Amino acid sequence: MRGSRMTPGDRRTRSTMSIIIVMGLCCFFYILGAWQKSGTGRGDSIALRVTKETDCTILPNLHFETHHSLGGVNPLVMTNKVFEPCHIRYSDYTPCQDQNRAMTFPRENMNYRERHCPAENEKLHCLIPAPKGYVTPFPWPKSRDYVPYANAPYKNLTVEKAVQNWIQFKGDVFRFPGGGTMFPNGANAYIDELASVIPFTDGTIRTALDTGCGVASWGAYLMDRNVLTMSFAPRDSHEAQVQFALERGVPAVIGVLGTIKLPYPSGSFDMAHCSRCLIPWNSNDGMYMFEVDRVLRPGGYWILSGPPINWKTSHQKWKRSKEDLEAEQNTIEKIAEMLCWDKIHEKGDTAIWQKKTDSNGCPSKDDRTSKMCKIQDADDVWYKKMEGCITPFPEEAQLQKFPERLFAIPPRIQQGRTPGVTEEIYEEDNKLWKKHANTYKKINKLIGSSRYKNIMDMNAGLGSFAAVLQSPVSWVMNVVPTISEKNTLGIIYERGLIGIYHDWCEAFSTYPRTYDMIHASGLFSLYRNKCNIEDILLEMDRMLRPEGAVILRDNVEVLNKVRRTVPGMRWKSKLLDHEDGPHIPEKILVSVKKYWVGSEEDNSL
């Protein structure tokens, strides 16, 4: 076509532009590194690493200045709303577990400790500050044993749990010796005892649930055995226990067994655990045991450590009568029998049951039949009332051991139990996210290192992002939005990963500053016209640690709206083209949250 041939001048212009782009990339990462400096008492050594490791090599077709405009707005002259800091008293604010709001709800069945989110007119529209002196947590595995005092300045547990070896305060750090109420000699020794019965070493056990987890030492030490534990505890008088868990680098959420179902799919966990968790298992006709049974995979284990086990010798230290404890244990034994759980071990204060792999051999089959749930979807649990009935056993294919199950075809896909997800779609998704993850690692070479221990994927899909990033130095909280077209969380658990259901129109069940990196693909398109984009971004900021990273992948139109907002939140961001070139409407927005802390002078709210 006449006139399309490139002139020498054009070539020089494009060459000059390429040089400018590459130089811009170098400058961008230099600036990111400068923010994340390791100054006295703040941040970490990320600045030096970013500067040294960013070699300014990029994908040939990856342009770091997008070719799309901001809807008529000059991208270099953007007027941004500035979000003011919240008052320092909100530094540990958990919107849906606010203590003052909780006290207005009934205490029966722990209803007041469940999620109760603020109304629209009660939401904060300010930035949650870090406490004075906040520092980047220690890298794993040191973080398992030490937490900087400034990050969670609460000493109550050091006094309340002193004899149980939960936590100690020394100098300017908390030390976690690994003890617990039922394992004062340390979680490792306790897990060794369990390992005489439960096969931890061959990959059979990969996902675990710790109910009433305390500071999550059980889950922390299971990570050494390649077991991922979802730990939960309420926000109650044991101040900041879940916050301590996350500061240590252990997966945990604020939660409780109360009146609504746990936010996990059926058959998720290979093992469930209660170490004097104070859950009344014999109450409400066994409803809480029925709920544990729902989320426990056939063949899975339930560990009960503490009252009423060993009541004959322990009743005095528990300050309860023999008759009361004996009746409680008898009730638990009967419920377990109805659930097709075989008691395989009892020694000292610990008992272990194993759920049968199918219901054909149940000794109390008639009683069980009358108690079966009459529900269409056992995974439809978000804000659904807990039921006093038994979830039917799925007839599922054999689950492979970990790590093979990470990329093997999950049984739910093999059996067609997740509409719209085929084996071909699953395989393609894995390939796609390997490609995306490689791009992310070229953008930020600290991905895959201990710098990012706690990672969240806000719209996890099939969990392929987390599978590709699988590493002993990090874990991913895979969130499946409740409004997603496909319910994929069961598939994620079958891969040997962990996650949770959540609606991003509400705050997540965690403390502020608990994630090192947040990833979201297609999230803002999914929630378009569902809730305010600012609310979602403010929640991301609340969960993200100072100097934490954010990677968003979405349609350019949506990301441009985000890009206009985040400078007012003290984020630095860069909009990048898709790996396959500038004409693909999907883009990547990478951001870093600046380091800042609150002060008494911040009185915006």
Side-chain angles (χ1 to χ4, degrees), residues 426-443:
Y426 174 76
E427 297 286 10
E428 286 301 314
D429 193 67
N430 282 325
K431 291 177 184 176
L432 180 65
W433 281 103
K434 285 178 182 177
K435 173 181 170 181
H436 289 342
N438 285 336
T439 298
Y440 296 159
K441 289 177 180 179
K442 290 179 180 180
I443 294 169

Side-chain angles (χ1 to χ4, degrees), residues 468-486:
V468 171
L469 289 190
Q470 164 60 28
S471 164
V473 299
S474 66
W475 54 268
V476 179
M477 181 68 74
N478 293 281
V479 183
V480 173
T482 55
I483 66 169
S484 295
E485 181 183 351
K486 298 180 181 69

Side-chain angles (χ1 to χ4, degrees), residues 305-353:
S305 182
I309 307 302
N310 200 25
W311 56 268
K312 290 181 181 178
T313 57
S314 299
H315 66 281
Q316 289 183 326
K317 70 177 179 181
W318 293 334
K319 299 178 181 178
R320 290 176 61 184
S321 69
K322 288 184 177 181
E323 294 75 17
D324 179 38
L325 288 163
E326 182 181 18
E328 183 179 340
Q329 179 154 351
N330 287 340
T331 301
I332 289 173
E333 301 274 11
K334 289 178 182 177
I335 296 168
E337 184 179 0
M338 186 188 304
L339 291 171
C340 290
W341 296 1
D342 292 326
K343 190 176 185 181
I344 60 174
H345 175 82
E346 182 173 341
K347 182 180 178 182
D349 295 338
T350 300
I352 302 174
W353 285 263

Side-chain angles (χ1 to χ4, degrees), residues 537-568:
L537 286 169
L538 286 170
E539 177 60 6
M540 292 171 69
D541 184 79
R542 186 184 74 89
M543 296 187 296
L544 189 65
R545 287 179 174 148
E547 301 183 315
V550 178
I551 302 177
L552 304 178
R553 181 181 287 268
D554 217 315
N555 183 280
V556 63
E557 179 186 352
V558 175
L559 288 186
N560 274 329
K561 292 180 180 178
V562 173
R563 185 161 65 135
R564 285 199 294 266
T565 304
V566 296

Side-chain angles (χ1 to χ4, degrees), residues 202-204 399-406:
D202 67 352
T204 300
L399 190 65
Q400 293 196 32
K401 295 180 179 181
F402 196 85
E404 288 76 19
R405 71 194 254 192
L406 189 61

Side-chain angles (χ1 to χ4, degrees), residues 22-225:
V22 174
M23 290 178 64
L25 174 64
C26 294
C27 293
F28 169 62
F29 279 108
Y30 178 82
I31 292 169
L32 291 188
W35 289 335
Q36 303 181 62
K37 59 190 174 182
S38 54
T40 303
R42 65 175 66 180
D44 55 17
S45 59
I46 190 171
L48 292 175
R49 295 189 61 184
V50 168
T51 304
K52 289 178 181 178
E53 296 180 11
T54 304
D55 59 6
C56 296
T57 57
I58 61 173
L59 296 176
N61 58 349
L62 184 62
H63 299 282
F64 283 78
E65 284 296 345
T66 182
H67 294 264
H68 296 264
S69 69
L70 289 170
V73 179
N74 184 342
L76 301 178
V77 186
M78 289 187 288
T79 55
N80 300 300
K81 176 179 178 180
V82 174
F83 294 88
E84 297 297 328
C86 304
H87 192 278
I88 192 65
R89 67 175 176 271
Y90 289 105
S91 63
D92 289 325
Y93 181 56
T94 54
C96 295
Q97 287 89 10
D98 178 70
Q99 296 287 64
N100 294 329
R101 189 181 305 109
M103 295 316 223
T104 66
F105 287 88
R107 297 197 171 212
E108 184 181 5
N109 293 329
M110 296 294 284
N111 175 267
Y112 74 121
R113 295 297 185 197
E114 294 181 310
R115 287 176 57 84
H116 300 291
C117 299
E120 194 64 35
N121 62 351
E122 295 177 323
K123 289 182 178 179
L124 299 184
H125 294 281
C126 51
L127 303 176
I128 301 297
K132 184 179 179 181
Y134 178 88
V135 296
T136 300
F138 297 114
W140 185 267
K142 185 177 180 179
S143 66
R144 183 191 66 191
D145 302 327
Y146 297 95
V147 167
Y149 170 75
N151 291 14
Y154 303 107
K155 297 181 182 179
N156 291 5
L157 286 178
T158 65
V159 177
E160 187 176 342
K161 300 294 182 179
V163 298
Q164 296 169 11
N165 230 10
W166 275 32
I167 179 174
Q168 300 167 355
F169 179 64
K170 293 187 176 181
D172 58 354
V173 299
F174 289 109
R175 179 175 175 268
F176 296 84
T181 305
M182 299 309 300
F183 42 92
N185 295 325
N188 248 343
Y190 175 67
I191 293 169
D192 284 341
E193 290 182 21
L194 301 179
S196 66
V197 181
I198 299 172
F200 287 125
T201 58
D202 67 352
T204 300
I205 304 298
R206 168 61 179 174
T207 57
L209 180 70
D210 194 6
T211 56
C213 64
V215 293
S217 287
W218 190 68
Y221 282 86
L222 278 173
M223 294 177 90
D224 289 342
R225 306 181 193 227

